[in-house]
Amino acid sequence: MDFSADSSYLQVSTGSYKRQVYEVPSGKQLVDQAVIDRITWATWTSVLGDEVIGIWSRHAEKADVNCACVSHSGINLVTGDDFGMVKLFDFPCPEKFVRTCFCIITTRSTVDVMVSYCFSRRCMMEIFPSLNL
């Protein structure tokens, strides 16, 4: 769930893999893509949307990428997936099948990542692995 920079909008990713944007505080869903495209987001944690098409590999299924987080500077994106990989991308990455800038392989599925600090290609990340053994 992410708020726009002016707190007027909220975006969520649904369990049916749809990105939805709502007005705050009315809760009215926005469907006009031209309006959605002009929104500046304060945060980005969605794995869905035109801005993150490049995080999906050629053979990825919808449930493979579990989480995403854009750095505070808005230029880097970190993702975590079912294969235990934490990947760093440039943000936005609207082109399909973008190569990662950096990849860490963990021993478990990654359910959440957070960028604590990012300067150029040097990032401090917090990784939250799945507790399922």
Side-chain angles (χ1 to χ4, degrees):
M1 179 174 18
D2 302 293
F3 280 96
S4 62
D6 64 1
S7 298
S8 296
Y9 301 98
L10 174 74
Q11 79 171 347
V12 297
S13 299
T14 70
S16 58
Y17 301 100
K18 293 182 181 167
R19 175 183 174 205
Q20 296 179 337
V21 178
Y22 296 92
E23 292 178 352
V24 174
S26 72
K28 179 182 174 193
Q29 185 174 354
L30 279 181
V31 292
D32 185 347
Q33 192 60 46
V35 173
I36 294 170
D37 290 343
R38 289 192 303 268
I39 298 171
T40 300
W41 296 99
T43 60
W44 189 284
T45 57
S46 179
V47 297
L48 305 174
D50 292 340
E51 298 84 347
V52 294
I53 288 174
I55 68 173
W56 299 92
S57 67
R58 291 186 194 282
H59 306 292
E61 295 179 12
K62 286 183 177 177
D64 288 346
V65 181
N66 300 321
C67 53
C69 182
V70 170
S71 63
H72 295 290
S73 63
I75 61 172
N76 299 107
L77 171 74
V78 176
T79 65
D81 65 28
D82 279 350
F83 310 106
M85 289 192 251
V86 176
K87 298 176 184 176
L88 177 65
F89 298 90
D90 290 329
F91 183 81
C93 52
E95 303 296 322
K96 287 185 175 183
F97 318 125
V98 173
R99 290 187 60 199
T100 61
C101 299
F102 184 75
C103 181
I104 299 170
I105 300 174
T106 64
T107 57
R108 297 184 189 158
S109 170
T110 305
V111 294
D112 202 7
V113 292
M114 185 172 66
V115 179
S116 299
Y117 172 79
C118 218
F119 179 74
S120 185
R121 294 266 190 257
R122 298 178 184 183
C123 291
M124 175 77 73
M125 297 175 265
E126 295 180 48
I127 302 169
F128 304 93
S130 170
L131 298 178
N132 298 334
L133 300 176

